[in-house]
Every structure is written in structure tokens, then in C-alpha cells.
């Protein structure tokens, strides 16, 4: 299923690029954009995780840099029977975390400085177990590619908008204006919908359940989710890219256009399911 969704994403990206090329430069434009799409698809597959980490200026750490975080991830990786992922810290007061990478052998987990300040060790264990569940379930490749694709389309939309403002010649101005309007009115929502189609909300439920079973502390994860949800409402993330919202354990962006698209299941339902699982365990 993840392979099919990845192929769908790459195919949609190629189609969008070719259509834009056709609109801008006819057949030659379509060919040029097809080549550009092929190159982006290649780099998305191999380097999307690095691009996301660079986007948030994540810094790799060793055990001496953040002993509790590193030990928690190391212990959980052993319990989940997956290779130890690389561990990163993001200097950001918004409490959150995410996992990325193309497979369990090339995975990374990142936590903000904010999450380390408000969670206990048990709660942090629940959060990291959730992220390693994404790694074990192989959700991280499709999530990383979706973030890269949505970000790329948004960037192209901005470039085309600037082209409409500074195009040369009347015909170019009119065509650029139409293209800029098309990019802003259609392509940006398409990018958001691609993310929605690519990242099923059921994957969050699955990661909650598997993560709770890995750490054997469903209530610790439930308490952490409640804390994070409340904290993000008070300290939404600044400077991040909304196209990456689905990567995080809770949506770090509140309000605006992203409020129209639900990248995560309702928090109340996630917590309710974890409480039921705790009784079962």
C-alpha cells in the first residue's frame, strides 16, 4: 500500500509539472518540466528526509548531548527490533517530534527543545515509541516524499506569482498573471490535498497503537498527546512549512488555510483509543 501511494504521489507530481510546462511553453515547456519532475522524483526518494531535517535546522546529537532522549530512543529501538535511528534536536519552543527516512535502516527521529521541557521521561517514551512505530510500519518514506512534493509545488507557485509580477512584455504579463492566479488558486490546494491523500489518518491511529504496545505505556502516550495538543495551541510553530504538518505527532500549525485540512485524527479520539488499549493491556 505504501509503495502504491508513493507511486501515486510521484505520478501526480509529474503530471502537474508537465501541465505547467505545457501552459508556460507549449511542447518544449512540457518536455523541460517533465525532465525537471523526473529529477525531483529521484531526489525526493533519496534525499527527502535530509531536506526536511535541513528545513527545520535539526542538529544530530549523541548520548552526551541529550542523555534522556538518546537513551529512550535506543531502548525503544531495541524493543521494536529495528536499527537505532539517528537522533536530532530542533531548537524550537513548540513541543513536537517527528520521524523521517526512506526505511528503518535509514531513519531519523527529531524532537524540539520544547518537547524536552514539558514532558516527563515516561511521556517522552510514549512519543518516541509512536515515532518508531511509524518507522517500523514504513510510513516515513511516504510522509517525507509528501512533504517534499507539497513544499516544491508551493515554491513553484510562489515563483510563478513573482513571474507574473515581473514578466516581460504584454503577452507575457497576461499569461504570467493567469499562471500566477492558477498557481495560487489551484496548485497550492492540490498540494495540500496530495498530502491528505498520501497520509491516511488511520496511520496515526496505527502508530499510536503500535507505539503504545512497544513502550507498554498507553496512558503515558495519551498524557503526552494531551499536553502537546494544549501546548501547540498556546505556542504554534513559527517559521515552519505547513506542508510538513503531517510529519509531526500533533499538528504544529493552527488556524489559517491549514485549519481547513485535517492532517491528524481528532485528539479526543486518539486519547480515547489509548485509554481503551490501556485497559486491554
Amino acid at each position: 500500500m505504501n509503495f502504491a501511494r508513493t507511486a501515486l504521489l510521484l505520478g501526480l507530481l509529474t503530471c502537474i509539472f508537465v501541465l505547467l510546462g505545457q501552459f508556460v511553453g507549449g511542447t518544449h515547456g512540457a518536455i523541460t518540466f517533465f525532465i525537471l519532475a523526473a529529477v525531483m522524483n529521484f531526489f525526493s526518494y533519496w534525499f527527502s528526509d535530509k531536506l526536511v531535517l535541513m528545513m527545520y535546522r535539526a542538529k544530530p546529537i549523541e548520548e552526551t548531548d541529550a542523555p534522556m532522549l538518546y537513551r529512550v530512543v535506543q531502548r525503544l529501538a531495541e524493543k521494536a527490533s529495528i536499527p537505532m535511528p539517528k537522533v536530532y534536536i530542533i531548537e524550537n519552543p513548540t513541543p513536537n517530534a517527528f520521524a523521517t527516512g526512506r526505511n528503518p535502516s535509514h531513519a531519523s527521529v527529531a524532537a524540539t527543545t520544547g518537547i524536552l521541557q514539558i514532558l516527563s521521561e515516561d511521556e517522552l517514551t510514549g512519543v518516541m515509541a509512536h515515532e518508531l512505530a511509524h518507522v517500523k510500519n514504513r510510513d516515513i518514506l511516504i510522509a517525507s516524499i509528501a512533504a517534499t512534493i507539497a513544499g516544491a509545488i508551493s515554491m513553484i507557485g510562489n515563483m510563478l506569482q513573482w513571474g507574473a509580477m515581473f514578466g516581460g512584455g504584454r503577452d507575457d504579463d497576461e499569461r504570467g498573471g493567469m499562471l500566477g492566479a492558477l498557481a495560487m488558486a489551484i496548485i497550492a490546494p492540490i498540494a495540500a490535498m496530495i498530502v491528505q491523500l498520501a497520509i491516511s489518518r488511520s496511520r496515526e491511529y496505527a502508530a499510536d497503537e503500535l507505539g503504545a504496545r512497544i513502550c507498554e505505556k498507553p496512558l503515558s502516550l495519551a498524557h503526552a498527546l494531551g499536553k502537546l495538543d494544549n501546548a501547540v495551541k498556546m505556542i504554534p510553530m513559527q517559521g515552519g512549512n505547513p506542508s510538513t504538518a503531517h510529519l509531526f505527532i500533533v499538528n504544529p500549525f493552527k488556524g489559517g488555510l491549514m485549519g481547513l485540512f485535517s492532517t491528524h485524527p481528532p485528539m479526543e479520539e486518539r486519547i480515547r483509543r489509548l485509554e481503551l488499549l490501556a485497559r486491554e493491556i
Side-chain angles (χ1 to χ4, degrees), residues 195-196 199-201 204 242 245-246 251 258 261-265:
V195 173
Q196 285 299 103
I199 307 301
S200 170
R201 300 204 303 177
E204 288 300 314
H246 62 280
N251 189 342
M258 289 307 298
F261 300 96
S262 179
T263 57
H264 293 71

Side-chain angles (χ1 to χ4, degrees), residues 6 32 42 88 109 128 162 181 199 204 216 233 238 259 261:
T6 302
T32 299
F42 174 83
Y88 289 79
V109 293
M128 289 297 110
W162 281 99
I199 307 301
E204 288 300 314
E216 300 176 343
K233 291 175 183 176
Q238 303 294 324
F261 300 96

